[in-house]
Amino acid sequence: MTTFDNHSVEHLTRRLDVALPLPYERAVQRYEELVPPVDRARFGQLADWDAVRAFAEINAPHGFMIYWSIDITALMAGSPSGWKCTEYLMGNHIIAERMFRHDPSAVLHAPLRTVIYADAEGTTRLAVDQPSTLFDSYGNPAIAEVGEELDQLLADLLSLMGVSPPKELVP
């Protein structure tokens, strides 16, 4: 019988839940303007990593791209749940590669998972786990450093959406 070196890591994650100043539909629209969809076809045509890096700067003018999204509202239509909600996987594979090279399991948290929803009072909110708390759990300073950079990009994105970023994102 072969013995494998298995391990588990417990870590604390901070979930940020930020009120947005826009109605739900407008907040989703603004988010998708600031975080455009990844152009998978174009990335697939590029010859080398330098070209991928250059195109990522164009495709993600604010650092992030949408890799996947789902309209949870439509998915839950007919249920007793009346929430308006859209879920996203948002990130940047150029940034993720700087963690992936040290530990491929870092892509468990990259791209970041975000949710825009309207709460019971009708306030639009954006929820996301704070990147630095996710990536600090890998015990590698190079990965943790990228997590802190992602905190700043997230703070910048929230500012562009018209809100002051939570104090936890600002050093």
Side-chain angles (χ1 to χ4, degrees):
M1 176 181 260
T2 305
T3 303
F4 295 98
D5 179 27
N6 300 323
H7 65 278
S8 64
V9 176
E10 289 187 34
H11 63 96
L12 181 63
T13 300
R14 179 179 295 118
R15 181 174 310 115
L16 305 171
D17 197 321
V18 180
L20 300 175
L22 301 168
Y24 173 79
E25 288 80 8
R26 179 64 187 118
V28 166
Q29 180 185 25
R30 180 69 177 142
Y31 179 89
E32 292 177 1
E33 291 167 0
L34 296 168
V35 184
V38 64
D39 187 342
R40 287 184 173 92
R42 181 70 181 121
F43 277 112
Q45 297 169 345
L46 299 173
D48 59 33
W49 194 245
D50 287 336
V52 170
R53 233 188 327 254
F55 186 64
E57 288 188 29
I58 296 166
N59 196 165
H62 303 291
F64 295 118
M65 297 171 257
I66 296 171
Y67 289 90
W68 174 85
S69 68
I70 187 167
D71 179 356
I72 302 294
T73 307
L75 190 66
M76 298 291 181
S79 80
S81 304
W83 305 103
K84 293 180 181 179
C85 182
T86 303
E87 182 179 2
Y88 300 91
L89 290 180
M90 164 191 88
N92 186 321
H93 51 287
I94 300 303
I95 296 170
E97 189 281 329
R98 293 175 28 223
M99 297 180 287
F100 180 76
R101 71 177 73 155
H102 298 287
D103 187 340
S105 69
V107 297
L108 181 64
H109 298 109
L112 302 171
R113 186 178 213 150
T114 62
V115 174
I116 296 177
Y117 70 99
D119 68 15
E121 289 77 40
T123 301
T124 304
R125 307 190 69 83
L126 185 143
V128 59
D129 288 336
Q130 184 175 355
S132 61
T133 65
L134 296 170
F135 296 113
D136 191 49
S137 71
Y138 289 89
N140 181 317
I143 293 173
E145 181 180 313
V146 176
E148 291 172 11
E149 178 183 329
L150 290 167
D151 280 3
Q152 184 59 58
L153 286 174
L154 183 57
D156 295 345
L157 176 63
L158 289 168
S159 293
L160 290 167
M161 292 193 72
V163 297
S164 295
K167 65 180 176 13
E168 294 87 353
L169 290 177
V170 183

